Amino acid sequence: MGERKGVSSSKVVFRKLLLFFFTMTSVLFVLSWFYVMRSTYRPHFIEYSLLPNSKHLSTLDGSKYDMQKQNVDSSFGNRAILHRGKCHQNDELVIKVYMYDLPAEFHFGLLDWKPNGKSVWPDVRNNIPGYPGGLNLQHSIEFWLTLDVLASEFPEAPKARTVIRVQNSSEADIIYVPFFSSLSYNRYSKRRPNEMKNGNMILQEKLVKHLTAQEEWKRSGGKDHLILAHHPNSMLDARMKLWPATFILSDFGRYPPNIANVEKDVIAPYKHLIPSYLNDNSTFDTRPTLLYFQGAIYRKDGGLARQELFYLLKNEKDVHFSFGSIGKDGIKKATEGMRASKFCLNIAGDTPSSNRLFDAIASHCVPVIISDAIELPYEDVIDYSEFCIFVRTTDAIKENFLINFIRGISKKEWTRMWNMLKEIEHLFEFHFPSKENDAVQMIWQAVARKVPAMRLKLNRHGRFSRSPPSADKELKSIPLPRNFW
């Protein structure tokens, strides 16, 4: 009997020891996961004293944050910040551009200019080839940007500039492709009888073949290249092969989002066709027309709202809504009409954007934008709501909604926006030589703001450039350490 009692006591002790070890193991397990979660989730172990002392990384204190006084430094080019209509930039910094010496057939040869000697470029100090007028002008940014790069090489180049050409591509921030794609489309997109391909398609094929053979393209895969395709129909064939590059576009209306998007590409303004309104002394009361639109009324896709609005507004006594084109004296009539109007409609057509917005800005006619998918130039530094009215399409086509909304805008508010238009209109003007914060320089600054993203892609792409190629094509799981538990 005593033997049985001893066995029972041993079992009790064994059970207590087992319970003790189980409890300790459980506690250690919980503690280990606590420390794992603490180190991987809660950011208490960041040593903030080791971080750069930068306003861009620190949180705002209770003081006022004044964008106008903030000093924005950049290693890649000028930055412009709009504060109440005024752009501020660091004039000492420029974006370095390496420009391909493409044969003249890709650029000034499209203007019937012929090279003289070995140079593929005209002497723009003495003889600038003329650019065709009419609707061609609205997509002429390729012409102005290329002139600006060429002019940057002159010893007498203006001090206030945003771009400089370099001859060594390894020193460049971007690689510029001087193909006048919009002009190529406008002049050579019509196929002649018995031709399989038009001249525009042939030029695009030549461009793709030339670019992809260059060492600069092979080195980066095109990620640091800049290509102009401002006309919505330009580069229709080549864009699918050159999409790693940054495009300069008028909008994304005819692009799939994986080919062009706001993160990768740059939206540039149209060159307005209506002359700038110099010495504008008009007032709210001297502009008799409340709302103005003249253009194509029956459009497809997103432009269906135009015909809806035409039927809603055509009988309003102080509204001008009619068909019009640049033919005959169309530009003259549009100039007179916009300058006599308080508000000018900018409605989506076949694409989200149109030149009409920039004609309205040049006329100091407050734009009313009805285009839900529109992208606007340099919107990362400009607040368009300061001088434009935005109306959702679904609201605009409701009966009496738009006209009542516009009539409800006060004289004081209109005058404020009218004054803003006069302050910012220079941001959309094209000049040669370029002027401080004109459209040419603003586009280059927008490109400069894309350079960090380009560099990030290039640096990530080159991570394993020095490593030998891996023989394992499949991803293998990494075994846990033996003492993990």
Side-chain angles (χ1 to χ4, degrees), residues 80-82 84-89 269 272 276 361-362 364 378 382 419-431 434-443 445:
I81 296 177
L82 185 75
R84 291 292 177 184
K86 298 179 181 179
C87 271
H88 305 273
Q89 68 179 38
H272 58 81
S276 299
I361 292 173
H364 311 151
Y378 3 108
I382 293 180
N419 281 318
M420 277 293 296
L421 286 171
K422 294 197 292 182
E423 287 188 33
I424 58 87
E425 63 178 330
H426 67 281
L427 305 177
F428 306 96
E429 299 287 349
F430 291 83
H431 301 103
S434 62
K435 297 182 180 180
E436 184 175 1
N437 289 330
D438 70 352
V440 176
Q441 294 197 7
M442 289 293 289
I443 293 170
Q445 291 170 35

Side-chain angles (χ1 to χ4, degrees), residues 74-77 79 95-97 172-175 223-224 226 246 263-264 266 444-459:
S74 168
S75 61
F76 54 85
R79 293 269 183 110
I95 182 172
K96 296 178 181 178
V97 173
D173 295 308
I174 62 162
I175 311 297
K223 295 178 180 66
D224 57 354
L226 185 69
T246 293
E263 285 77 22
K264 179 176 76 73
V266 173
W444 282 124
Q445 291 170 35
V447 171
R449 292 192 291 276
K450 299 293 183 182
V451 170
M454 294 182 194
R455 288 181 176 170
L456 175 61
K457 292 177 185 177
L458 287 173
N459 292 341

